[in-house]
């Protein structure tokens, strides 16, 4: 098959393919919708796991994929419904032909109105065909728009972080460089977005196009527009495509807004409240967070009801926690930060050297755990409990620290476990300070079954002794 787009045969082939493309559209849409529905839940889980673990880079990646899947699913469902309506209309045309307004026997007023507004049945079929083809193409185009938005955002963050690595400069100089970069970048982003909403009106005037071209050139690279630029401009030069581009964005905003709505039946009771002495959350108890979509946040206990005279506590590890450990003990901070992507492939050439390094790592690990026990404070009902954390994983293979607290002297009933430690005052501020605050409050009830059984048994022995005497 010749791929010379200027040849007559190639144009004939394209004309033939576009007439039969609806079959491929339906096949692709059917398989894609099934795959997207199957992928939606795993992507939500991955995004939630990354957020809780503090892996923002992974969280943004999974969030982009999730948004693309949701947009694609919505567009393809609309496409399948319209394409099904189109097939039904063609079948009906085979049976009854065009609309015969005279057989309807309506009044002259309604007949003339329907002829003007409804028109011929063939025009209706042609309109459905046009909408189906444009929506199918728009599905892919919208995904590229979302990817372009996030690539610009990620590029912005990466550039800011690269400026912060210039540690040989004073802080005021780094801050000045960042501000000097942020303002033009932000204003340029707004200009590009306005041009996008206006469907390229800044490209039409001579003086605006001259000023806008450098901005357009830079952002065309950042948004990866070379992948979808022909599709976008072919979409916009069509009257129906222009009209649809105005409709889709408001529709997406409405759908997102409707999906976020929740009915509140109380001014005080809410599932979104934090765990406290007045409210419990399932995510702080191992036996209540066994479902795949449930994740432990900050810390967890085995259950709301504790029947043993010891209390197991699991403290979740994240990247921010390790930064606080380095702040407390500067010697633990390695020269090369290995956090992030690492290959699991290793070749051991010097076993003796590795043994020496292992010994050094063991000493550092001991200091690491000592620092963890220093910076995190455990209280039960305002009473201090000494922790002895060791590295562990929970039932969902999440890394963290585990310790056991002796609670045999606690009274029976309700108690509040409180963990205090360092946190950032404001994550959005690069100069944010580390402050000490309460990280979590977890209620639990202590009713030791073994003590109750022992007391019951002692009472029975005492009663038997009295009766014998």
């Amino acid at each position: 098959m010749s791929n010379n787009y200027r040849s007559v045969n190639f144009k004939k082939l394209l004309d033939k393919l576009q007439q039969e493309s609806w079959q491929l559209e339906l096949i692709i849409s059917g398989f894609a919708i099934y795959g997207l529905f199957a992928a939606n839940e795993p992507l939500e889980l991955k995004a939630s796991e990354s957020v809780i673990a503090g892996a923002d880079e992974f969280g943004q990646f999974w969030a982009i994929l999730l948004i693309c899947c949701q947009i694609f699913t919505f567009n393809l469902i609309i496409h399948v419904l319209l394409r099904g309506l189109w097939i039904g209309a063609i079948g009906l045309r085979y049976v009854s032909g065009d609309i015969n307004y005279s057989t309807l026997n309506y009044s002259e007023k309604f007949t003339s109105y329907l002829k003007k507004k409804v028109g011929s049945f063939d025009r209706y079929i042609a309109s459905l065909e046009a909408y189906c083809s444009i929506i199918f193409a728009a599905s892919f185009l919208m995904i590229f728009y979302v990817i372009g938005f996030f690539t610009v955002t990620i590029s912005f963050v990466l550039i800011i972080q690269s400026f912060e690595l210039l540690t040989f400069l004073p802080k005021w100089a780094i801050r000045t460089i960042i501000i000097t970069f942020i303002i033009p970048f932000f204003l340029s982003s707004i200009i590009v977005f306005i041009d996008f909403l206006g469907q390229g009106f800044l490209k039409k005037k001579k003086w605006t196009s001259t000023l806008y071209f450098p901005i357009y050139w830079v952002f065309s690279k950042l948004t990866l527009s070379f992948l979808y630029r022909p599709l976008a401009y072919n979409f916009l030069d069509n009257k129906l495509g222009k009209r649809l581009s105005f409709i889709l964005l408001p529709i997406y905003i409405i759908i997102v807004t409707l999906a976020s709505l929740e009915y509140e039946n109380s001014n005080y009771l809410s599932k979104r409240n934090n765990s406290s002495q007045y409210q419990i959350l399932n995510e702080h108890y191992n036996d209540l967070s066994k479902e795949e979509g449930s994740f432990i946040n900050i810390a967890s206990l085995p259950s709301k009801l504790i029947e043993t005279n010891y209390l197991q506590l699991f403290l979740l590890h994240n990247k921010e926690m390790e930064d606080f450990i380095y702040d407390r003990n500067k010697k633990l901070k390695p020269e090369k930060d290995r956090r992030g992507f690492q290959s699991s492939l290793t070749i051991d050439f010097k076993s003796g050297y590795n043994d020496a390094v292992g010994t050094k790592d063991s000493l550092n690990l001991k200091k690491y755990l000592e620092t963890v026990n220093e910076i995190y404070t455990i209280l039960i009902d305002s009473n201090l409990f000494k922790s002895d954390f060791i590295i562990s994983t929970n039932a969902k293979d999440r890394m963290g620290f585990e310790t056991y607290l002796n609670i045999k002297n606690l009274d029976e009933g309700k108690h509040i476990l409180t963990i205090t430690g360092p946190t950032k005052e404001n994550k959005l501020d690069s100069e944010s300070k580390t402050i000490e605050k309460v990280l979590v409050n977890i209620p639990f009830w202590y009713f030791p079954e073994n003590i109750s059984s022992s007391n019951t048994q002692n009472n029975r022995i005492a009663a038997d002794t009295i009766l014998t005497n």
Side-chain angles (χ1 to χ4, degrees):
M1 181 181 71
S2 174
N3 59 357
N4 183 8
Y5 66 92
R6 292 191 179 93
S7 68
V8 177
N9 292 332
F10 189 75
K11 292 183 181 299
K12 288 182 179 179
L13 176 64
L14 290 181
D15 291 337
K16 181 181 178 182
L17 289 175
Q18 71 183 21
Q19 295 296 328
E20 301 175 355
S21 63
W22 65 271
Q23 302 174 33
L24 292 174
E25 288 178 11
L26 281 177
I27 293 173
I28 293 172
S29 297
F31 280 105
I33 290 172
Y34 175 79
L36 291 168
F37 272 117
N40 190 69
E41 186 174 351
L43 288 175
E44 287 182 346
L45 294 177
K46 288 290 186 181
S48 300
E49 285 179 2
S50 301
V51 170
I52 293 175
D56 296 333
E57 297 84 359
F58 283 105
Q60 292 172 359
F61 173 74
W62 296 120
I64 294 169
L65 286 183
L66 183 60
I67 292 172
C68 290
C69 282
Q70 291 171 346
I71 291 175
F72 205 26
T73 303
F74 172 77
N75 285 357
L76 289 181
I77 289 175
I78 298 298
H79 169 261
V80 169
L81 291 175
L82 289 179
R83 187 58 78 178
L85 182 60
W86 175 78
I87 294 172
I90 290 177
L92 183 60
R93 183 183 184 280
Y94 173 76
V95 175
S96 62
D98 205 346
I99 301 174
N100 191 344
Y101 291 100
S102 61
T103 59
L104 295 175
N105 200 22
Y106 290 160
S107 66
E108 184 178 350
K109 182 176 182 179
F110 270 98
T111 301
S112 61
Y113 176 81
L114 291 175
K115 284 183 178 180
K116 181 180 178 181
K117 293 296 181 180
V118 178
S120 68
F121 198 60
D122 290 352
R123 188 179 76 173
Y124 174 70
I125 294 175
S127 298
L128 285 176
E129 165 67 22
Y131 274 110
C132 291
S133 299
I134 287 178
I135 288 176
F136 190 74
S139 303
F140 296 92
L141 188 59
M142 290 300 156
I143 288 176
F144 282 118
Y145 282 155
V146 173
I147 293 174
F149 172 78
F150 279 99
T151 52
V152 170
T153 306
I154 292 170
S155 300
F156 177 75
V157 173
L158 291 177
I159 293 172
I160 294 294
Q161 291 179 350
S162 64
F163 286 149
E164 293 176 350
L165 296 176
L166 303 175
T167 54
F168 57 88
L169 295 175
K171 288 187 177 181
W172 65 266
I174 297 175
R175 193 181 300 113
T176 304
I177 294 172
I178 292 175
I179 293 174
T180 306
F181 169 78
I182 286 176
I183 295 175
F185 190 94
F186 183 71
L187 293 176
S188 300
S189 302
I190 294 175
I191 292 172
V192 172
F193 186 67
I194 291 173
D195 181 70
F196 169 75
L197 294 179
Q199 297 183 346
F201 78 97
L202 292 177
K203 305 182 185 76
K204 296 178 181 179
K205 300 287 185 179
K206 184 177 181 180
W207 68 274
T208 56
S209 62
T210 303
L211 296 174
Y212 179 62
F213 182 79
I215 299 174
Y216 169 79
W217 186 86
V218 172
F219 277 83
S220 66
K221 307 299 181 185
L222 294 177
T223 57
L224 309 177
S225 65
F226 60 89
L227 294 172
Y228 56 90
R229 190 181 295 152
L231 185 64
Y233 288 119
N234 201 6
F235 186 79
L236 292 176
D237 72 355
N238 182 279
K239 185 178 179 180
L240 185 59
K242 273 190 174 183
R243 191 185 307 161
L244 191 63
S245 64
F246 277 117
I247 297 173
L248 282 177
L249 185 59
I251 288 176
Y252 293 149
I253 294 173
I254 292 171
I255 291 173
V256 171
T257 304
L258 292 175
S260 63
L261 292 178
E262 292 183 3
Y263 180 76
E264 296 285 352
N265 56 7
S266 173
N267 290 314
Y268 297 95
L269 308 183
S270 176
K271 295 179 181 178
R272 293 191 295 268
N273 291 340
N274 293 326
S275 179
S276 65
Q277 59 180 324
Y278 307 111
Q279 182 166 343
I280 61 176
L281 298 179
N282 290 349
E283 62 192 30
H284 292 311
Y285 307 97
N286 296 334
D287 59 343
L288 298 179
S289 59
K290 292 181 179 179
E291 296 181 3
E292 191 176 4
S294 180
F295 301 99
I296 291 172
N297 187 12
I298 300 178
S300 67
L301 302 179
S303 174
K304 291 184 288 187
L305 176 62
I306 304 300
E307 298 178 335
T308 59
N309 56 10
Y310 58 88
L311 179 64
Q312 180 191 18
L313 173 63
F314 180 81
L315 181 64
L316 190 66
H317 175 270
N318 56 45
K319 184 179 178 181
E320 189 180 68
M321 178 187 291
E322 190 151 304
D323 292 333
F324 296 138
I325 293 171
Y326 294 155
D327 291 340
R328 176 62 66 90
N329 192 337
K330 306 292 184 182
K331 295 180 180 179
L332 288 174
K333 189 172 184 178
E335 294 180 2
K336 181 181 179 182
D337 197 338
R338 294 180 296 174
R339 291 177 294 181
F341 294 101
Q342 295 289 336
S343 174
S344 59
L345 298 176
T346 56
I347 302 175
D348 189 7
F349 288 115
K350 299 179 180 180
S351 59
Y353 173 77
N354 289 335
D355 291 340
V357 172
T359 305
K360 182 180 178 181
D361 287 344
S362 298
L363 293 174
N364 287 336
L365 196 58
K366 181 181 178 182
K367 294 178 182 177
Y368 187 98
L369 290 172
E370 290 174 353
T371 309
V372 171
N373 287 292
E374 287 176 9
I375 65 176
Y376 292 99
T377 304
I378 301 172
L379 304 169
I380 298 180
D381 302 331
S382 301
N383 296 318
L384 182 64
F385 278 72
K386 186 178 180 181
S387 63
D388 187 17
F389 283 114
I390 62 171
I391 301 169
S392 177
T393 56
N394 63 4
K396 293 188 175 181
D397 203 31
R398 300 294 305 280
M399 287 292 296
F401 307 97
E402 186 175 342
T403 189
Y404 288 81
L405 308 176
N406 186 351
I407 58 172
K408 65 181 180 181
N409 294 326
L410 287 181
D411 296 330
E412 293 185 353
K414 175 187 169 185
H415 299 276
I416 307 294
L417 182 138
T418 303
I419 300 178
T420 63
T423 187
K424 292 292 183 183
E425 192 173 14
N426 185 3
K427 291 184 179 180
L428 297 177
D429 185 3
S430 59
E431 295 297 325
S432 59
K433 296 181 180 179
T434 301
I435 59 173
E436 294 285 332
K437 64 177 291 187
V438 174
L439 301 178
V440 66
N441 288 302
I442 307 178
F444 68 94
W445 282 261
Y446 178 55
F447 291 103
E449 187 179 44
N450 55 348
I451 295 177
S452 300
S453 302
S454 178
N455 290 339
T456 303
Q457 186 176 2
N458 291 337
N459 291 336
R460 288 178 180 176
I461 293 172
D464 291 340
T465 302
I466 293 172
L467 291 173
T468 302
N469 294 334

